[in-house]
Amino acid sequence: MKTVLAGDVNGDGKGDVLGRVNAGGLYGYAGDGTGTIAPGRLIWPTITSAS
């Protein structure tokens, strides 16, 4: 990962992690509030992203 950020990204009151890979994609990892995060999923770019 080129950049890693943490915070409540999805607004559910639990800590999440964002990671930007060297190729430029942004992955989101949702936290469950107990210290466990879900597997990452590509959240940008998406087909609906503005160019």
Side-chain angles (χ1 to χ4, degrees):
M1 298 273 167
K2 185 173 189 168
T3 305
V4 176
L5 301 167
D8 182 12
V9 177
N10 60 10
D12 65 357
K14 299 172 181 125
D16 307 308
V17 177
L18 293 176
R20 186 173 144 226
V21 295
N22 289 337
L26 182 66
Y27 285 80
Y29 302 83
D32 69 0
T34 67
T36 302
I37 58 172
R41 66 182 183 93
L42 182 65
I43 59 175
W44 186 86
T46 64
I47 294 171
T48 58
S49 292
S51 36

